[in-house]
Amino acid sequence: MDEIRIETWDQLNEQLYSDAFNPSIGRIRSPYAFRGVSDAAYPLTTSLSRLGGAYAQMEQHLLRNFRKYARRGDVPTDSVWNWLAVAQHHGLPTRLLDWTFSPQVALHFATARLREFERDAVIWAVDFVRAHALLPAPLREEMEAECADVFTVEMLTRRAQTLEEFDALDGEPFALFLEPPSLDDRIVNQFALFAVMSSPEAHMEDWLAAHPELVRRIVIPAGLKWEVRDKLDQANVTERVLFPGLDGLSAWLKRYYSPRGP
């Protein structure tokens, strides 16, 4: 896969918006999903896989109990994909991986942890349009019928109402990008997008390694992190906005007033 190590703010923005122009409509409409990681050495692993042990066997139990104990009004419709989206945003281990349409939001997550400012960060950029061209036929047909580039909960539910049905759509691993409904302000403000693999044991990084033409890694050197972070703060791309509420406000103030290290 393509890895680009940038050295300046201008180079960073050039890479983030590379290939974003859509000539068919004459507009900037990037086909990329972005994920910011504060340490470039971190792998693309789901919160479910980080449980360790026989984590794949725990997926059904986790989601079943989350649905059982949560309030019915926490999701608009009783769909497994709605429940997964809510669960992911509230910290339940799931097979979903957080992405965003916004390169600035990805930059926030790459520079939000001050304790990791001595380490290079990375922005993963995946072409979800080309990735979806590799989906099983029933899913491609759904996208073509809707003239869509990413899936909604309603679209996905029409083709797979359960995770078991989803996993059985193809014998080979595949990756799908799902835009959740606006269940809360956090999802809206983060311009959230989820990647979901066709098995809890399938790893997106392995899948991307098999399809290197779909992905690039933009490495942000540790020495550039403070400049990126301060410019994001000035642009109001902060915890206060991305995590509305007192928790996000407190996280922003704590970081914003922390002294710069050596």
Side-chain angles (χ1 to χ4, degrees):
M1 64 184 68
D2 195 13
E3 180 167 296
I4 305 103
R5 183 179 178 87
I6 58 90
E7 299 295 340
T8 68
W9 170 259
D10 288 342
Q11 289 176 3
L12 175 59
N13 281 278
E14 181 179 352
Q15 288 298 325
L16 289 173
Y17 288 96
S18 177
D19 301 322
F21 183 73
N22 185 335
S24 66
I25 60 174
R27 302 287 297 277
I28 299 294
R29 294 291 185 268
S30 177
Y32 285 91
F34 301 93
R35 178 175 172 85
V37 183
S38 57
D39 186 338
Y42 285 164
L44 286 179
T45 55
T46 65
S47 54
L48 180 66
S49 69
R50 291 195 294 271
L51 282 178
Y55 66 86
Q57 300 175 21
M58 295 298 103
E59 181 178 45
Q60 180 180 358
H61 301 299
L62 285 163
L63 190 57
R64 182 185 67 250
N65 283 288
F66 186 82
R67 295 172 75 167
K68 178 170 65 174
Y69 294 121
R71 297 170 299 181
R72 294 293 99 182
D74 286 334
V75 297
T77 57
D78 189 21
S79 160
V80 65
W81 305 109
N82 276 331
W83 283 112
L84 274 174
V86 172
Q88 173 75 2
H89 263 285
H90 287 278
L92 187 78
T94 77
R95 71 166 73 180
L96 300 183
L97 199 60
D98 289 309
W99 295 76
T100 176
F101 289 106
S102 168
Q104 283 78 25
V105 170
L107 283 177
H108 167 81
F109 287 106
T111 58
R113 296 182 178 180
L114 297 185
R115 65 181 181 275
E116 296 182 346
F117 263 39
E118 294 182 358
R119 304 173 187 174
D120 293 348
V122 67
I123 304 295
W124 290 82
V126 174
D127 189 331
F128 55 81
V129 175
R130 295 174 67 189
H132 284 165
L134 304 176
L135 288 172
L139 295 174
R140 294 200 310 273
E141 291 167 3
E142 182 68 30
M143 298 203 71
E144 291 168 3
E146 291 286 339
C147 298
D149 289 328
V150 296
F151 278 83
T152 65
V153 165
E154 293 77 15
M155 291 168 60
L156 194 48
T157 300
R158 286 196 289 268
R159 300 292 175 164
Q161 295 189 15
T162 67
L163 286 172
E164 291 77 15
E165 290 180 6
F166 179 72
D167 294 351
L169 285 170
D170 201 334
E172 295 295 324
F174 61 86
L176 178 146
F177 285 87
L178 170 67
E179 184 175 11
S182 301
L183 300 173
D184 58 30
D185 290 340
R186 185 183 302 185
I187 288 176
V188 174
N189 293 0
Q190 293 179 19
F191 211 172
L193 187 66
F194 296 126
V196 54
M197 294 298 297
S198 55
S199 164
E201 296 178 297
H203 296 287
M204 187 158 197
E205 192 162 351
D206 293 340
W207 186 82
L208 289 172
H211 303 281
E213 72 280 3
L214 303 180
V215 59
R216 64 177 184 265
R217 281 168 44 95
I218 305 168
V219 178
I220 304 170
L224 191 64
K225 275 187 168 181
W226 279 106
E227 179 183 349
V228 173
R229 183 64 264 170
D230 288 345
K231 287 180 175 178
L232 290 174
D233 284 342
Q234 186 173 4
N236 201 30
V237 183
T238 70
E239 297 87 345
R240 179 189 177 200
V241 173
L242 301 179
F243 298 90
L246 296 180
D247 290 343
L249 174 60
S250 297
W252 168 57
L253 292 172
K254 177 183 178 180
R255 179 186 54 73
Y256 190 79
Y257 284 99
S258 293
R260 177 168 178 167

